[in-house]
Every structure is written in structure tokens, then in C-alpha cells.
């Protein structure tokens, strides 16, 4: 395999890890190990939250540089583990370059179906409700809020809504659903339902990775992750506040 193919394979592995929520230093380490199989002493990789740049430079030859823009990010630990295992087998010689490329391409595809994602989106709020002191009615109501969240997220992704706007709309939908459920059942703890409903939107992994990247000296990626987590949290807070404010105005105006 030539240098260009090795660089593309390293970038593909890094892209999958970065999109799955891996720390910057972990992505750079994996890319570096794959690049070193080119048998040259000059290999470099630069990983940021929104992009990857790798270079292979052989003495007497023109350097090979590959850059990849990373647009969307999430959390998928299973994919990170798979890429780690595949890259280690390749570097150890247990997998050929062609086999490694095919396995990485399979990982990049969708791992779960839309209905499975939606099912988990419904179950997560229902599972968090008892942790926040909710009873059976709060668990069922949180599941109902999860249905609203799943519908809004599915529609938003299909129309390619921006992450900030989508988080606002999803959080607002959860708040509106919680208010209406409260009107239907006055004994319902609305705060528990809202808090449980927004848990799938909370950027917990992003905050953790921001701290880890910063402590390891990756200040650009650490700062970017921290800013991303802050923007996400702000969008959720704005959405919840807007949803509750709109239903309150509608209620006081005689609509309810």
C-alpha cells in the first residue's frame, strides 16, 4: 500500500474515533501508529475537534498530506473500541492493509437503525426519572417526553437542522409536553419530568473530554470541546425556558 492509501486509512480511523467522542490524544495516538507502518521516520498528525491533518514525508520524495473536515460528533464507545482493536491488529501485522480498510469502512456506516435510536431516546428519560425521585407517574410521563424528543430529533435530522437550533426545539418540546402532562395530572412532579427528559441532550461526555484534553496540553481541542458543551447546555436551557414561558403565556391568556 502506498503512502497516500496509508494516510487515507489513518485519517478514516481518526475520523471515526473523533466522530464517536474519543479524546484528541487518543485519536492522534491511533493515527500515529498507523502512519508509522509506512516505514518512514517523518510522520505527523494534527487532530482538532473539527478536523484532522496527517503528513507522510519520505526523504527525496514529495510529502503526502491528507486533511479531513469533521462536521458532526456524538458518543459511541463501541466504535472507538473497534477502531482501537483493528488498528492494533494492523500494526501488529495480523491484518492486511486491504482488510483493515474494509473493516474501517464498515464501522463508519450506521450501527443502529432509526427506530432503535428512537427507542433508546424514549427509555433513557424513563430510566432517569426514578434517579431524580420520581414515581411511576413520573416514569411514564418522562417516557412520554422521550417520545416527543425522539420525534423532534428524527424530523430535525432529516431536514438537517443545525445542532444549536435542534437542541432548543427539542428542549422546548420536552418542556411543553411536561406542562401539558402536569395539567392532565396535577400530582405529577413536572420538574422531574423535564430534568429526566433533557438528559439525552446533556453534553456530559463533551465536558469530560474537554477536561482531559486540557490537562494533557491539547488546549485548542479542550477549549473547543468546552465551548461546544457550553453552547449545547445553553441551547437546552433556552429551549426549556422558552417552552415553559410559551405555555404559561398561552395558559394565562385563556388558551388552557
Amino acid at each position: 500500500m502506498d503512502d497516500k492509501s496509508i494516510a487515507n486509512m489513518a485519517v478514516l480511523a481518526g475520523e471515526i474515533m473523533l466522530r464517536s467522542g474519543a479524546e484528541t490524544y487518543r485519536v492522534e495516538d491511533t493515527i500515529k501508529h498507523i502512519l508509522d507502518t509506512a516505514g518512514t521516520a517523518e510522520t505527523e498528525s494534527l487532530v482538532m475537534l473539527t478536523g484532522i491533518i496527517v503528513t507522510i514525508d519520505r526523504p527525496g520524495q514529495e510529502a503526502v498530506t491528507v486533511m479531513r473536515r469533521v462536521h458532526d460528533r456524538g458518543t459511541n464507545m463501541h466504535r472507538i473500541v473497534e477502531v482501537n482493536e483493528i488498528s492494533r491488529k494492523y500494526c501488529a501485522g495480523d491484518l492486511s492493509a486491504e482488510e483493515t480498510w474494509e473493516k474501517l469502512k464498515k464501522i463508519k456506516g450506521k450501527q443502529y437503525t432509526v427506530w432503535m435510536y428512537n427507542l433508546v431516546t424514549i427509555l433513557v428519560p424513563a430510566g432517569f426519572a426514578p434517579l431524580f425521585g420520581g414515581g411511576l407517574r413520573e416514569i411514564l410521563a418522562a417516557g412520554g417526553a422521550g417520545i416527543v424528543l425522539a420525534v423532534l430529533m428524527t424530523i430535525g435530522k432529516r431536514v438537517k437542522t443545525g445542532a444549536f437550533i435542534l437542541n432548543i426545539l427539542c428542549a422546548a418540546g420536552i418542556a411543553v409536553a411536561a406542562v401539558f402532562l402536569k395539567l392532565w395530572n396535577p400530582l405529577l412532579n413536572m420538574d422531574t419530568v423535564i430534568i429526566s427528559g433533557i438528559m439525552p441532550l446533556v453534553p456530559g461526555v463533551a465536558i469530560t473530554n474537554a477536561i482531559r484534553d486540557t490537562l494533557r496540553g491539547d488546549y485548542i481541542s479542550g477549549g473547543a470541546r468546552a465551548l461546544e458543551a457550553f453552547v449545547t447546555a445553553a441551547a437546552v436551557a433556552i429551549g426549556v425556558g422558552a417552552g415553559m414561558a410559551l405555555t404559561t403565556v398561552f395558559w394565562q391568556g385563556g388558551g388552557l
Side-chain angles (χ1 to χ4, degrees):
M1 181 173 278
D2 59 12
D3 291 347
K4 183 73 171 181
S5 299
I6 294 176
N8 283 325
M9 184 167 59
V11 169
L12 177 59
E15 179 190 2
I16 296 171
M17 295 182 69
L18 196 60
R19 291 180 61 184
S20 301
E23 304 91 328
T24 301
Y25 74 88
R26 192 185 303 276
V27 178
E28 286 187 345
D29 184 66
T30 299
I31 291 176
K32 181 67 174 175
H33 278 84
I34 295 177
L35 292 177
D36 287 343
T37 62
T40 177
E42 296 295 332
T43 61
E44 294 291 342
S45 64
L46 175 63
V47 178
M48 295 177 287
L49 190 62
T50 56
I52 300 172
I53 303 174
V54 303
T55 298
I56 299 178
D57 187 11
R58 290 184 184 275
Q61 298 182 14
E62 185 176 354
V64 174
T65 300
V66 177
M67 182 177 66
R68 184 73 52 82
R69 182 78 161 84
V70 179
H71 294 281
D72 55 333
R73 292 166 297 279
T75 303
N76 193 321
M77 298 302 176
H78 180 68
R79 284 182 174 175
I80 297 174
V81 172
E82 279 192 309
V83 173
N84 275 332
E85 291 180 353
I86 292 172
S87 63
R88 287 172 183 171
K89 289 181 180 179
Y90 168 70
C91 294
D94 297 332
L95 286 176
S96 66
E98 291 74 15
E99 291 174 331
T100 303
W101 178 258
E102 291 300 323
K103 287 181 178 292
L104 290 174
K105 286 178 65 177
K106 289 181 180 178
I107 296 176
K108 188 179 179 181
K110 288 186 177 181
Q111 184 178 357
Y112 304 109
T113 59
V114 175
W115 72 266
M116 191 173 293
Y117 274 111
N118 290 338
L119 178 61
V120 173
T121 303
I122 296 170
L123 294 178
V124 167
F128 271 103
L131 299 179
F132 296 119
L136 180 60
R137 63 172 65 92
E138 282 76 24
I139 294 175
L140 295 176
I147 294 175
V148 175
L149 176 61
V151 171
L152 292 175
M153 289 185 68
T154 301
I155 296 174
K157 289 179 179 179
R158 287 186 177 179
V159 300
K160 297 182 179 180
T161 306
F164 182 77
I165 301 300
L166 182 58
N167 285 330
I168 292 178
L169 294 176
C170 289
I174 291 171
V176 171
V179 171
F180 276 96
L181 289 171
K182 174 70 173 180
L183 294 175
W184 179 65
N185 188 347
L187 298 177
L188 183 69
N189 189 329
M190 187 176 67
D191 294 340
T192 300
V193 176
I194 293 177
I195 296 172
S196 302
I198 65 175
M199 288 308 295
L201 303 176
V202 175
V205 176
I207 296 173
T208 302
N209 287 344
I211 296 173
R212 297 188 67 174
D213 283 342
T214 301
L215 293 178
R216 292 186 67 91
D218 295 321
Y219 299 115
I220 295 178
S221 295
R225 289 184 188 274
L227 181 60
E228 181 183 42
F230 172 78
V231 171
T232 302
V236 174
I238 292 171
V240 171
M244 295 182 67
L246 288 175
T247 49
T248 299
V249 171
F250 184 57
W251 189 1
Q252 292 177 347
L256 292 176

